[in-house]
Amino acid sequence: MKWEGRGSYTVEGTLIISFICLITGLVILLGFYGHDRAVMQSTADELSRYGSLWAGRFLHPEIREVDYELMKQSGTVDFGVIEDMGCRMLQGRLFCGELRSIRASQSLSGREM
């Protein structure tokens, strides 16, 4: 019996299929990572807007517009409330990770969050 070339397709097929599965898995994992990163960035943007307007605390009650003068006078923000809201916003929305904590802080100039 001649064994020349027999089994070579099986070995090549095994290597090619395993590489295709590996690459497909990596693409799916990168997609999950991109999704989680986009969700976290979106949440950070919403929290910064929420913190800057402080959840309607500076809204004028009658005309429902931001009272910037009152916002300038107060200038204090409780970051614990913002961090809790961020945890609630991200709960159950991440594919590849688990949220442990969010930290919000003010910039050194005090004008950014």
Side-chain angles (χ1 to χ4, degrees):
M1 281 170 99
K2 293 185 178 181
W3 291 96
E4 293 179 26
R6 293 181 79 89
S8 65
Y9 290 122
T10 304
V11 172
E12 291 169 357
T14 303
L15 288 175
I16 290 173
I17 295 297
S18 63
F19 282 132
I20 288 174
C21 290
L22 180 69
I23 290 172
T24 304
L26 288 175
V27 167
I28 290 171
L29 217 79
L30 284 174
F32 285 158
Y33 173 76
H35 170 268
D36 288 352
R37 187 171 166 98
V39 166
M40 286 188 283
Q41 183 65 46
S42 170
T43 303
D45 292 343
E46 289 180 36
L47 286 177
S48 66
R49 184 177 54 226
Y50 176 83
S52 66
L53 297 178
W54 191 233
R57 191 169 99 187
F58 298 114
L59 286 179
H60 193 278
E62 294 174 7
I63 58 176
R64 304 294 294 164
E65 290 184 5
V66 178
D67 188 358
Y68 291 104
E69 294 303 318
L70 180 63
M71 198 163 67
K72 286 179 193 175
Q73 290 172 2
S74 175
T76 59
V77 176
D78 181 19
F79 289 109
V81 174
I82 295 171
E83 292 167 356
D84 290 342
M85 183 178 179
C87 287
R88 278 184 274 134
M89 288 171 68
L90 282 177
Q91 188 175 6
R93 292 180 64 193
L94 299 177
F95 284 140
C96 288
E98 180 182 321
L99 180 69
R100 293 194 181 133
S101 66
I102 292 179
R103 188 175 55 95
S105 62
Q106 209 167 16
S107 67
L108 294 175
S109 65
R111 296 170 52 190
E112 296 176 352
M113 190 179 147

